[in-house]
Amino acid sequence: MLITIRELELEPLDFEEELPAAAVDLGSDGRLVAPVKTTGRAELFEEHHGKGLVLQDVRLHGKLATRVEMPCARCLKPVERDIHRDYDLLYRPEPSLSGKAKSPELELSGAESEISFYGGEGLELAEVLREQILLDLPLRVLCGEDCKGLCPTCGVDRNRETCTCEKPVDARWATLQELQAKFKK
Ligand SMILES: [Zn+2]
Ligand SMILES: [Zn+2]
């Protein structure tokens, strides 16, 4: 759904949307296994900067819920996690489109650095939701706290099979063995 500035100039927009999982591509980070449900409100917010310069910002706030599938960090088995996130975002017109906005007085300060920009007619809701879901993804998931992972040598899933690979010799242990060999002489 494209939220257009023209619409928002008339009145704020309350939305309730359900996007199919396939409409939101998370790339290699994971994939959605449930639709994205979101409710929220979009409204224009005018920033007055003196000299008659007014920026039309879009404030977008609401909440989203979906379910994501990611590989277990140890054994790669797919693991599902619920995602629930509240968002409150401010989008400014892209500097190139607002002309004077490039003047030094409009440089973003540190506190404002999370402000995003919109270009063209408005904001694509699916793209906004995709970014919010990516921000909410856990860095790593485990299928279980006791997951034994894959054998680094043969790749067998050690939760299901035992392999006969030798345990790699610890370097410190090897030094100790050398010392012992010397003393025996
Ligand atoms: Zn696992
Ligand atoms: Zn092995």
Side-chain angles (χ1 to χ4, degrees):
M1 179 178 78
L2 184 69
I3 300 171
T4 64
I5 306 306
R6 196 181 291 177
E7 269 181 294
L8 298 181
E9 278 173 343
L10 301 174
E11 57 179 351
L13 172 72
D14 290 306
F15 55 85
E16 181 169 353
E17 287 283 310
E18 185 171 320
L19 279 88
V24 181
D25 182 9
L26 300 183
S28 58
D29 290 327
R31 70 185 187 94
L32 295 185
V33 288
V36 185
K37 291 181 182 171
T38 185
T39 56
R41 186 178 174 91
E43 54 198 324
L44 279 188
F45 174 80
E46 291 192 340
E47 260 188 275
H48 294 265
H49 284 283
K51 293 178 196 162
L53 176 62
V54 179
L55 294 184
Q56 280 190 311
D57 297 343
V58 179
R59 181 179 177 215
L60 196 65
H61 54 118
K63 56 186 178 181
L64 71 87
T66 185
R67 194 166 171 82
V68 67
E69 182 190 274
M70 295 170 71
C72 167
R74 291 186 196 151
C75 74
L76 306 179
K77 190 177 120 180
V79 182
E80 294 189 4
R81 286 281 185 278
D82 284 323
I83 300 274
H84 292 278
R85 188 175 174 90
D86 294 332
Y87 53 87
D88 192 350
L89 310 163
L90 197 62
Y91 289 84
R92 270 184 176 168
E94 259 171 12
S96 58
L97 297 171
S98 54
K100 281 186 191 166
K102 275 181 179 167
S103 62
E105 58 186 317
L106 289 180
E107 287 287 312
L108 293 182
S109 70
E112 289 177 307
S113 59
E114 283 181 36
I115 293 179
S116 310
F117 296 93
Y118 69 85
E121 288 173 61
L123 280 171
E124 180 52 57
L125 187 62
E127 186 51 34
V128 172
L129 296 176
R130 192 180 80 90
E131 283 172 14
Q132 291 303 307
I133 294 166
L134 285 172
L135 287 172
D136 214 64
L137 290 184
L139 283 178
R140 65 201 288 268
V141 294
L142 293 178
C143 62
E145 281 307 316
D146 57 349
C147 172
K148 299 189 189 81
L150 303 178
C151 168
T153 310
C154 72
V156 134
D157 182 347
R158 293 189 290 202
N159 299 307
R160 283 184 291 188
E161 285 175 62
T162 359
C163 61
T164 54
C165 297
E166 295 282 330
K167 278 195 182 152
V169 179
D170 188 307
R172 288 164 300 176
W173 183 232
T175 318
L176 193 62
Q177 282 176 323
E178 275 170 36
L179 281 174
Q180 281 176 328
K182 272 186 196 168
F183 282 121
K184 275 180 193 165
K185 277 175 194 168

